[in-house]
Amino acid sequence: MYTRQYPGPNADVLEAQARVCTGPHQSRPLGKKPSDPRPGPILELILKTAKGELPYDQMVSKAQMGAFFVAMTLRENFPEKTRWSNAEIEAFNTYGSDLERLMDPDVKFLMHPDRGYEPANPQEEVVVASLEKILSGAHLTYAETRRMGEAILNGRVGDALKAAALIGQRMNRETCDEIRGYLDAVLGPDQVLTVDVASLTHFGEPYDGSTRHFRPTLFIAAVRAALGEASVLHGVDDMPPKRGVTEEQILNALGARTNLSLEEAASLLEDPEVGFAYVSQREYAPGAYSVRELRTHIKKRPPWAATEKAQQLFSKPGANHMVVGYYHPGYEAPLIRLMQDRGFQAGLVVKGEEGTSHYSLRLGKPSTEDRKAVNYSQGFRHVGEQPENIALDIDPGAFGLDYDQNPRLETVSAKSCAEAGIAALSGQKGHVYDRIVLNTALKDHLLGLCPDPHDAILRTKEAIDSGRALARLKAYIQRSTGFKTG
């Protein structure tokens, strides 16, 4: 359960945001077709909110206003197909005087950035300076993006300005420097802890969880620990918009403690009987966690939805690896570059199930230059002193996993994932066991940790069938609850 932080959101305005709060080639004008949302009623809802005429749960939040109006301002300079429709022009002409009279100064600034805005504090001053560039369609430097991100996460910045900055920059399509700025605003390189392990792999999955498929990352970490490969997992308990099953929920279902500090997690990574750890964003970046509900109100995923998966919490000098899942094309190269810039020895981005790094048990149509299939894997690794690039589909059939359809659990919940994962680590054969084996073995192979993929399959099965992987998971649950709190 979560506590409502904002009024609304208004469902009709969210539908309008879904159309207009996107890029120069994807935006869909309002009122162009009879079936489209009409811009006039959308503006009426915003004005009724300003007048206090709507119930609290139907109000248009300031975050919604920020996202909507920054999108409208940017779209004035979009290509003809995605810029303002005649219906939008007419609606703003009709309601323009009322908007001028009733909107707060921060919202009016988003509609007319040339008129300026007087920030309420130093944090707003940073965000407003960034918005002046964003609203003109310009990009920020790394330093500007990082300062803006830190102000949004840790400062007293109005909801409309927060939402506008996040949606506006996403609509302008973030550069590599901007993506790195968002990443480091949450946890900078100077805050990464060094750990004493043989090798270290960070796994980055979507923080909003899974709703259709078994979530195997926790159980992969236990298997890898039994193989001497330490893993870092990170995420949240609950995240909009999907609010799916997360690693934190599964750990809670298993009875583990999930509010570990970075120092406590480091001790579990170094523990010879454990060898993996989970850290909640609530602990490593409380500012980022506190604004998660904003995502419901801006409708589209903020830049952090991509960068948080590439967060580095710990470092093993000379032996760092990272695996990140993605769904939306275009983020592969920036994510790989982030890993390379941080000095990782190997990095992998996977177009997996529901935007995770999880390989499906059935490869559909193979990838092409224009279309990447689920199970497409791209990245780099070092073999000896030589760097190698990776770009291929993972076909489960090549490893004896011949499924006509990709199987699923009957129900997907934290409890069902916990029970299915424990059964698989106990040696119960089936699609969950196969999924854990495939995902563990092939990722270790592609990262360069096991040269032959078939050998990787065999050693993964042995780690499970011997009971060593289950012992690691049980040790994690026991040790995580043994730390003194308070």
Side-chain angles (χ1 to χ4, degrees), residues 359-367 373-377 392-403 438 442 446 453-454 457:
Y359 294 127
S360 166
L361 290 175
R362 181 179 180 275
L363 177 66
K365 294 181 179 179
S367 295
V374 171
N375 285 16
Y376 179 73
S377 306
L392 77 167
D393 289 331
I394 295 300
D395 183 1
F399 304 98
L401 301 176
D402 296 312
Y403 284 85
L438 179 72
L442 270 295
L446 293 179
H454 297 281
I457 293 280

Side-chain angles (χ1 to χ4, degrees), residues 365-399:
K365 294 181 179 179
S367 295
T368 65
E369 187 66 28
D370 299 324
R371 174 194 164 277
K372 305 307 179 188
V374 171
N375 285 16
Y376 179 73
S377 306
Q378 185 176 343
F380 66 95
R381 64 188 175 196
H382 285 78
V383 178
E385 297 297 319
Q386 296 299 316
E388 290 184 359
N389 291 324
I390 301 164
L392 77 167
D393 289 331
I394 295 300
D395 183 1
F399 304 98

Side-chain angles (χ1 to χ4, degrees), residues 223-372:
V223 178
R224 296 184 83 250
L227 295 169
E229 308 290 353
S231 302
V232 179
L233 315 180
H234 51 96
V236 293
D237 51 348
D238 176 82
M239 179 74 82
K242 189 186 293 185
R243 299 194 184 277
V245 174
T246 65
E247 281 71 38
E248 185 163 331
Q249 292 177 16
I250 298 172
L251 281 165
N252 282 326
L254 291 170
R257 184 176 151 218
T258 55
N259 62 340
L260 301 178
S261 67
L262 286 170
E263 291 76 15
E264 290 170 332
S267 71
L268 291 175
L269 286 168
E270 296 174 340
D271 189 323
E273 295 183 11
V274 180
F276 68 98
Y278 169 83
V279 187
S280 175
Q281 187 187 64
R282 183 178 59 252
E283 305 303 320
Y284 80 77
Y289 183 77
S290 68
V291 300
R292 71 196 187 284
E293 200 58 40
L294 185 71
R295 301 185 191 204
T296 299
H297 292 250
I298 65 175
K299 184 61 177 179
K300 296 293 184 178
R301 289 175 173 84
W304 276 305
T307 61
E308 64 201 1
K309 294 182 289 187
Q311 201 73 59
Q312 182 181 13
L313 306 179
F314 304 96
S315 175
K316 161 59 182 176
N320 287 289
H321 316 99
M322 183 173 283
V323 179
V324 173
Y326 77 97
Y327 178 78
H328 296 286
Y331 282 94
E332 309 93 297
L335 288 170
I336 290 170
R337 180 174 165 181
L338 284 175
M339 299 175 201
Q340 293 171 326
D341 288 347
R342 286 284 179 91
F344 281 77
Q345 281 62 58
L348 191 65
V349 293
V350 178
K351 185 176 172 64
E353 297 171 329
E354 296 188 70
T356 67
S357 71
H358 307 148
Y359 294 127
S360 166
L361 290 175
R362 181 179 180 275
L363 177 66
K365 294 181 179 179
S367 295
T368 65
E369 187 66 28
D370 299 324
R371 174 194 164 277
K372 305 307 179 188

Side-chain angles (χ1 to χ4, degrees), residues 117-137:
Y117 171 72
E118 188 65 34
N121 54 62
Q123 292 82 29
E124 279 204 351
E125 186 174 0
V126 169
V127 175
V128 169
S130 297
L131 271 167
E132 288 173 344
K133 295 182 71 172
I134 291 169
L135 285 161
S136 71

